[in-house]
Amino acid sequence: MIEIVNIFTYLLIFLLLGSFPISLCSIKKIHNSKNSFFDLLSTNLIVNFCLIFLISFTNINQKSYFILLIVFSLLFNFYYLTKNKNYFDSLINKKFLFFIIINLIIFIYLSKNPTLAWDGLQNWYFKAQNFFYDYNFFDLKNVNNGLNYYPHFGSFLWGFFWKNSFLQYEYFGRLIYVFIFVLSIFSLCDLLNKTNFIKNILISVILVLSFDNFLLKGYQEIILFSFLILISKNIYLYILNQKLHNLSICFVYLNLLPWIKNEGYLFVIIFTISLFIIINKFSKKNEIYYFIFFSWLLIIFKNYIFYRYLNLNLSHGGDLKIIFEFEAIKEFLLAIFFGLFIAIFKYKIWILIISSFFLFLKIKKPTILQLNFFVFLKINLALYFLMIIGTFYGVTQSGTQNLDWWIDNSLDRILYSISGFFVIQIILVINNFKIYNLK
Amino acid sequence: MKIKTLTKENLIYLLLLIFLTVHFKFFENIYIISRETHEERLIINYGYCEKNSYGFVKYIDKKYKLKNNIKVLNDEIYPSSQAFIYKPKRDYLQDKIILLNYNDQNSNILINDYSVIEKFKNCYYLKKND
């Protein structure tokens, strides 16, 4: 029973961290919307994540920082509550309760079987444990277990929340992954211009189709998936409204991806190339140029840090000797397309995504801005598939493992992460449907 | 908060919650969590002396109060159980190992080179012979 109470307490702590340092009033002004609860949580969380991320490079005591954060959040909310007694009124509604209950359901689900799967136990756990013992990024070179060229942000969050839980059970650190996952889906569904009835059904459908218990066992793909959802939402809003805060939030989420998994590099590169391709569609081109420039600069900076402090050359273990032989390429393509086909059926959210791409232009004529976003998504989709094919061809030629191994152990997870970026297309198609109002 | 009972919206919330609680086995999970401790659940899922053999590894660590790290080998294909008792920035014991799911036909080690300190089924805590 104590464990269940602690799980609930941790949910309250996540909500508390999501309510500080930006107030609900400021969020409403920034996002110019009435129902900004999930924007509030996602914006505040990314601010707190950035600060926590910076702490991973310092010797600041995590426990002290955590307590300080909780105290400040409480005082901050108390201040706004005394100033405006109705401060929380807009939050307390059925959707908020629905959000809380879904989080609890999945927290309890994780708690029932808190084990780790292969990569979680073999690689990521040791990084999280490094931070659990109050060591920092620079101590990672002393961790002799696991793959040392893997980045640390996801496992740092895991270690941070593991350490600061009352019971200090390892899986408490992974509850934050669930929270981000659920939050990203709720936040995305705010874009839906239909009734709550449709919204709630869609939230449940996306949640069930994209939930994979296996990926909660220490894998990082669930954060990539969730961050990509929030990136797609913010870039969509930027394309629609050209507001800098959307681009800034998108920039922060995007540039944290390489610190979660090395695939994050590819996501940043593809995203920035796609932005560059459609740059003529933006009125404020300079903002996009800065976005691309600083994203690439941060990639170089990350490589430099790993090279300088951990003595690691981040070629991801790849020693690429690419050979072009027609027979080999044919065999490879057959295997990879079969693998992709299987992975799409494993993560059924892809079936909805692919259908929505076909349906988008057929339902109702979209606006020019919506069309620009659709083109942007299509470029991303094409580049992602080229990237998958190219990368898999490269790594299989390097000879460390054969293609079957890569398809069995990695293809489905990459496809799962990427799907986060395209879930928005389902929302946009439903927005263009004429649906009988059930209110 | 006023909740008007049985509006269409409330009904859909209720149905979705019923669906999700059933889908994620919420009540069964609550029952299991309140019945079994965290440690018991880990042993059930990782195994005592099977699969990752969490129970045996933890038992050895607790009984012998291991201050340094120890190599944990598994004759079956599972991710390393090292993580269960790994202590950062500590050296490895050179003369002792934990061997899990020992397979006498095809083992990672020659068991005759070791003397047995502790044994449970196919799991061993071993010391290298001088």
Side-chain angles (χ1 to χ4, degrees):
Chain A
M1 198 61 194
I2 291 171
E3 215 173 324
I4 295 168
V5 173
N6 271 280
I7 287 171
F8 188 72
T9 313
Y10 233 40
L11 177 59
L12 294 180
I13 287 173
F14 294 151
L15 291 171
L16 202 60
L17 293 183
S19 65
F20 172 79
I22 304 170
S23 72
L24 188 62
C25 316
S26 316
I27 289 280
K28 278 181 181 173
K29 272 181 210 161
I30 295 170
H31 290 275
N32 197 19
S33 67
K34 283 179 193 169
N35 188 10
S36 309
F37 175 61
F38 301 110
D39 290 328
L40 172 83
L41 285 182
S42 57
T43 312
N44 276 323
L45 274 183
I46 200 63
V47 173
N48 281 311
F49 283 174
C50 284
L51 293 172
I52 291 172
F53 176 60
L54 292 176
I55 282 173
S56 72
F57 295 95
T58 67
N59 285 327
I60 293 173
N61 183 286
Q62 289 176 38
K63 196 137 216 144
S64 313
Y65 179 75
F66 182 76
I67 292 168
L68 211 66
L69 201 60
I70 297 296
V71 171
F72 274 118
S73 311
L74 282 170
L75 289 174
F76 178 84
N77 283 303
F78 186 69
Y79 167 76
Y80 275 96
L81 199 63
T82 48
K83 226 171 115 182
N84 174 12
K85 282 185 180 158
N86 302 324
Y87 183 63
F88 288 118
D89 279 10
S90 60
L91 303 184
I92 301 167
N93 54 38
K94 280 175 249 175
K95 199 174 175 191
F96 172 71
L97 287 177
F98 191 51
F99 174 72
I100 298 281
I101 292 170
I102 287 183
N103 267 297
L104 278 177
I105 288 173
I106 306 182
F107 282 8
I108 296 289
Y109 185 86
L110 173 64
S111 166
K112 184 239 167 185
N113 179 2
T115 53
L116 297 168
W118 199 285
D119 272 20
L121 201 56
Q122 195 88 25
N123 298 315
W124 299 107
Y125 175 85
F126 294 102
K127 288 188 192 299
Q129 199 199 36
N130 176 71
F131 299 110
F132 176 80
Y133 281 103
D134 253 338
Y135 298 126
N136 62 24
F137 169 81
F138 304 102
D139 294 305
L140 284 173
K141 62 173 175 250
N142 301 317
V143 178
N144 296 320
N145 292 284
L147 292 170
N148 50 7
Y149 55 79
Y150 278 9
H152 74 288
F153 178 57
S155 41
F156 177 69
L157 285 179
W158 174 1
F160 181 82
F161 287 106
W162 170 14
K163 184 173 182 63
N164 291 306
S165 59
F166 297 111
L167 297 174
Q168 299 210 327
Y169 293 157
E170 170 279 315
Y171 78 87
F172 271 77
R174 285 182 281 139
L175 294 181
I176 190 70
Y177 295 1
V178 177
F179 186 76
I180 301 168
F181 171 71
V182 177
L183 172 64
S184 65
I185 293 173
F186 270 78
S187 176
L188 185 73
C189 288
D190 265 352
L191 289 178
L192 208 64
N193 60 15
K194 304 292 174 199
T195 58
N196 279 340
F197 172 85
I198 307 287
K199 268 188 195 173
N200 296 327
I201 290 178
L202 191 68
I203 286 170
S204 309
V205 168
I206 294 175
L207 196 93
V208 169
L209 290 184
S210 53
F211 180 81
D212 184 357
N213 178 36
F214 179 73
L215 296 178
L216 283 180
K217 293 177 178 290
Y219 286 86
Q220 305 293 303
E221 277 73 10
I222 198 145
I223 323 181
L224 291 179
F225 173 87
S226 314
F227 276 23
L228 281 167
I229 283 185
L230 293 166
I231 289 166
S232 67
K233 180 186 174 182
N234 280 290
I235 196 68
Y236 171 71
L237 291 175
Y238 178 76
I239 288 176
L240 241 56
N241 309 321
Q242 306 282 309
K243 289 202 172 146
L244 187 60
H245 69 264
N246 287 124
L247 195 65
S248 311
I249 294 170
C250 179
F251 178 82
V252 179
Y253 273 114
L254 185 74
N255 284 288
L256 280 174
L257 297 182
W259 290 94
I260 296 168
K261 271 202 95 177
N262 284 335
E263 285 95 308
Y265 284 130
L266 299 169
F267 298 168
V268 175
I269 291 169
I270 287 172
F271 189 90
T272 48
I273 290 174
S274 309
L275 272 184
F276 187 74
I277 292 172
I278 62 155
I279 197 144
N280 285 331
K281 313 227 183 251
F282 293 101
S283 55
K284 296 171 184 170
K285 291 189 180 57
N286 276 347
E287 288 178 359
I288 303 298
Y289 282 126
Y290 283 130
F291 186 100
I292 296 171
F293 174 74
F294 283 109
S295 297
W296 283 68
L297 198 68
L298 285 175
I299 288 182
I300 296 166
F301 182 62
K302 188 215 155 184
N303 264 297
Y304 171 75
I305 289 178
F306 268 70
Y307 185 70
R308 170 80 175 75
Y309 295 102
L310 300 184
N311 302 321
L312 290 168
N313 181 6
L314 291 187
S315 60
H316 199 69
D319 177 21
L320 303 183
K321 294 173 204 153
I322 297 174
I323 305 158
F324 290 100
E325 281 175 16
F326 180 71
E327 274 306 308
I329 292 173
K330 200 175 93 181
E331 208 172 293
F332 166 82
L333 285 176
L334 276 173
I336 196 94
F337 280 117
F338 185 66
L340 282 170
F341 184 75
I342 300 294
I344 283 170
F345 279 92
K346 181 176 177 189
Y347 292 114
K348 294 168 191 69
I349 192 75
W350 270 107
I351 297 171
L352 281 189
I353 292 170
I354 293 169
S355 316
S356 63
F357 267 92
F358 283 111
L359 283 172
F360 186 66
L361 293 174
K362 291 184 179 152
I363 295 171
K364 187 179 145 188
K365 208 179 171 193
T367 63
I368 291 176
L369 292 174
Q370 282 178 335
L371 208 58
N372 288 346
F373 182 70
F374 183 61
V375 171
F376 177 69
L377 277 188
K378 277 203 295 189
I379 295 169
N380 269 282
L381 190 66
L383 289 177
Y384 273 123
F385 277 95
L386 280 177
M387 173 215 54
I388 288 174
I389 292 168
T391 316
F392 274 71
Y393 190 70
V395 289
T396 47
Q397 294 294 312
S398 71
T400 48
Q401 301 285 352
N402 63 24
L403 179 63
D404 290 342
W405 187 90
W406 284 105
I407 288 176
D408 290 348
N409 293 292
S410 150
L411 183 63
D412 54 346
R413 283 189 285 130
I414 291 185
L415 217 64
Y416 175 78
S417 318
I418 295 170
S419 69
F421 192 72
F422 301 102
V423 175
I424 192 168
Q425 187 59 24
I426 302 169
I427 311 280
L428 300 183
V429 165
I430 295 175
N431 274 348
N432 281 359
F433 263 123
K434 277 183 188 170
I435 297 174
Y436 172 64
N437 194 337
L438 287 151
K439 220 171 190 179
Chain B
M1 185 175 56
K2 273 186 183 176
I3 299 176
K4 288 176 197 168
T5 48
L6 274 182
T7 60
K8 271 180 186 164
E9 198 189 341
N10 286 346
L11 195 66
I12 200 73
Y13 271 116
L14 189 69
L15 289 174
L16 285 174
L17 283 177
I18 290 171
F19 167 72
L20 290 170
T21 48
V22 172
H23 182 78
F24 288 103
K25 299 177 181 170
F26 181 67
F27 295 107
E28 185 190 325
N29 294 341
I30 287 270
Y31 171 67
I32 289 170
I33 293 168
S34 47
R35 196 189 58 186
E36 288 151 6
T37 65
H38 176 244
E39 198 72 1
E40 284 167 349
R41 296 200 305 278
L42 287 175
I43 292 173
I44 289 167
N45 290 295
Y46 281 129
Y48 188 90
C49 180
E50 54 174 335
K51 299 187 279 187
N52 299 84
S53 304
Y54 173 86
F56 183 75
V57 174
K58 275 291 195 189
Y59 167 75
I60 295 296
D61 187 51
K62 206 172 170 184
K63 183 176 176 186
Y64 294 94
K65 295 186 176 89
L66 301 176
K67 284 183 180 157
N68 282 352
N69 285 309
I70 183 165
K71 272 197 178 147
V72 184
L73 304 173
N74 195 333
D75 275 351
E76 287 179 7
I77 300 170
Y78 283 101
S80 167
S81 302
Q82 188 75 66
F84 303 144
I85 52 168
Y86 182 74
K87 298 154 189 91
K89 293 192 174 180
R90 299 272 178 89
D91 290 332
Y92 276 84
L93 291 170
Q94 294 301 317
D95 58 339
K96 288 178 185 138
I97 58 163
I98 294 174
L99 178 64
L100 309 171
N101 307 313
Y102 173 60
N103 175 356
D104 54 2
Q105 303 295 311
N106 183 23
S107 178
N108 283 315
I109 63 148
L110 289 168
I111 204 159
N112 292 334
D113 293 348
Y114 293 84
S115 46
V116 177
I117 304 174
E118 187 95 30
K119 177 182 184 293
F120 180 81
K121 289 183 183 171
N122 272 351
C123 297
Y124 295 82
Y125 177 39
L126 301 168
K127 186 174 192 283
K128 200 167 176 69
N129 295 329
D130 295 326

